[in-house]
Each structure stands twice: as C-alpha cells, then as structure tokens.
Amino acid sequence: MTVYRKLLPTDLRAYRDHLLRLSSNDRYSRFCGFKTDESIAVHCQGIDWRFTIMVGCFVRGELRAVAELRTEPKVWPGEGELAVSVERDFQNQGLGSGVVRRILTVARNRAIRRLVLICLIGNRRMQAVVRKFLGKLDSEHGEVTGRIELPWPSQMSLLQEALDSGSAVVDGVLDQWRAGPSDPVSAVA
Ligand SMILES: CC(C)(COP(=O)(O)OP(=O)(O)OC[C@H]1O[C@@H](n2cnc3c(N)ncnc32)[C@H](O)[C@@H]1OP(=O)(O)O)[C@@H](O)C(=O)NCCC(=O)NCCS
C-alpha cells in the first residue's frame, strides 16, 4: 500500500537510507553533483527541522520518494528550495508528482509564495513534473531552474492539507493491518 505523509525528525534514518539507495545517476540528478555516502549523511544531519518541510511516500512501509523543501525565512522570506527523489524502481509511476502535489499544499498553507527547484538540463522528467504544477522553467549553464508560484492559503488548501494528513493516518493503520499477524511488531503497534 502507498502512504503519503509529512516526515518527522524520527524519519531521519529512513530518509538517509532512501537517499543512499538512489542509483549513482539519480543521486547526481538529485543533488546536481556528486555525493558520497558520507556527504549524504552530512546532508541529513544538517537538516534544520524548524525550516524544512518534507513529504514522503512509503510503499509497503518503506520510504521510496521524498520532496524536501528548505526555507530561510530571514534571508528569503516567502520562498523555499525544493528537491525531489524517487528510487529507480518506483519512478514514472506518479510518486514524484504525488509528493510534490502534497508539499505544494503544505508550503502554500505556510504562506510560502514561491518555490525554486534546480535540476540538470537533461532531466526531462523533473521538468515535466514542474510544468504539471504550472511552474516556469529557465535554463542556464547546463542547469534548469523551475519556479512555482503559490497563491495565499485558502479554506480549500487548509482543508486539503487536513484531508492529506487524515488519509495518511488511515492508510498507515490499514497498511499495518495488511502486514498481517506474521509480523508481530506491526500487529501490536
Ligand atoms: C525526477 C523525479 C523526481 C520524477 O519523479 P517520478 O515519480 O519519476 O515522476 P512522475 O511519475 O510523478 O511524473 C513523471 C512525468 O514525467 C513525464 N516523463 C517521463 N519521462 C519523460 C521524458 N523522457 N520526457 C518528458 N517527460 C517525461 C511523465 O509522462 C510524467 O508526466 P505526466 O504525469 O504528466 O504523464 C524522479 O524521476 C527522480 O527522483 N529522479 C532522480 C532524482 C532527480 O532527478 N531529482 C530532481 C532534481 S531535485
């Protein structure tokens, strides 16, 4: 079963393991540059949870896709930088769009008005996802910058976030039931 939810500091290890599972090409695409296992660990340790929002997609309990939004309210008020990662076997199945759609709702409800995403010029799939959410793309020096403008929060966007959070709880419980009695930890949790 597929469960989308916001990530918490307790998900840090799952996030690090997800990034470490990316293929070397995807790792390069995600960070627009080479990253060793150690630098991925440093990246995760450096997350400031006060200013970072993450939405993850769990497939059968394993974190397979993440949208990470970093903000710097003092330096760039109302703006954030978005990055997305989906593991190879799960790409092109809508998970990337799923985490982006949800994080846009959360960002909008935090009065973030513009998201910026940088990807490689050949990363057509990421660019398709940005376009899907009405983002604009500009290319320069081998990289593409996507910008997605967000409206102010509305009753509908607040309701959408509440529905997303509610579905995450229900889907999480159903997922544990489906794990069945052969998994004693899941059965009692
Ligand atoms: C880029 C990435 C996040 C996209 O996530 P995903 O789950 O594979 O994407 P989705 O399935 O949600 O959507 C892919 C879209 O690209 C389109 N697409 C796929 N291949 C394409 C191609 N070669 N050219 C143009 N569009 C393409 C699909 O049709 C789909 O659009 P649609 O939903 O309108 O039909 C994912 O592939 C990934 O993690 N790549 C490695 C890391 C990375 O590149 N991160 C981006 C930089 S931060």
Side-chain angles (χ1 to χ4, degrees):
M1 183 160 188
T2 303
V3 179
Y4 290 90
R5 68 166 173 81
K6 283 177 227 157
L7 299 188
L8 302 167
T10 46
D11 294 309
L12 191 59
R13 178 181 289 214
Y15 183 43
R16 186 202 59 194
D17 292 347
H18 156 72
L19 290 176
L20 289 174
R21 281 194 297 270
L22 294 178
S23 67
S24 49
N25 279 348
D26 287 343
R27 211 187 264 199
Y28 193 90
S29 297
R30 160 63 179 79
F31 292 99
C32 287
F34 182 72
K35 282 269 179 193
T36 61
D37 289 1
E38 291 70 32
S39 47
I40 284 195
V42 170
H43 172 86
C44 292
Q45 283 306 327
I47 292 171
D48 184 340
W49 290 89
R50 293 170 303 166
F51 304 124
T52 305
I53 305 167
M54 290 206 267
V55 171
C57 176
F58 293 79
V59 182
R60 288 181 291 280
E62 202 73 61
L63 185 59
R64 298 299 186 182
V66 176
E68 177 183 331
L69 174 62
R70 291 197 177 206
T71 65
E72 286 262 10
K74 285 199 178 139
V75 188
W76 297 298
E79 293 199 15
E81 185 173 354
L82 181 64
V84 192
S85 49
V86 181
E87 290 175 35
R88 171 109 323 173
D89 290 347
F90 298 85
Q91 290 177 3
N92 228 12
Q93 299 169 36
L95 270 59
S97 303
V99 290
V100 170
R101 203 277 290 154
R102 286 163 178 80
I103 210 159
L104 293 185
T105 304
V106 180
R108 177 179 176 183
N109 290 339
R110 307 294 178 278
I112 295 170
R113 306 300 310 283
R114 175 189 280 179
L115 299 191
V116 177
L117 179 143
I118 296 170
C119 70
L120 300 173
I121 208 155
N123 196 342
R124 303 283 174 211
R125 204 176 280 167
M126 189 67 244
Q127 291 157 32
V129 174
V130 170
R131 271 199 214 91
K132 191 191 302 194
F133 294 102
L134 308 180
K136 301 268 186 305
L137 298 167
D138 292 308
S139 58
E140 210 181 355
H141 309 308
E143 289 180 346
V144 169
T145 303
R147 291 184 180 80
I148 304 177
E149 309 289 338
L150 296 174
W152 290 107
S154 66
Q155 285 179 328
M156 282 310 293
S157 68
L158 292 165
L159 180 63
Q160 182 66 61
E161 185 177 343
L163 285 172
D164 288 343
S165 301
S167 316
V169 173
V170 174
D171 290 345
V173 171
L174 289 175
D175 212 26
Q176 290 203 341
W177 279 353
R178 282 180 197 190
S182 60
D183 181 350
V185 176
S186 299
V188 293

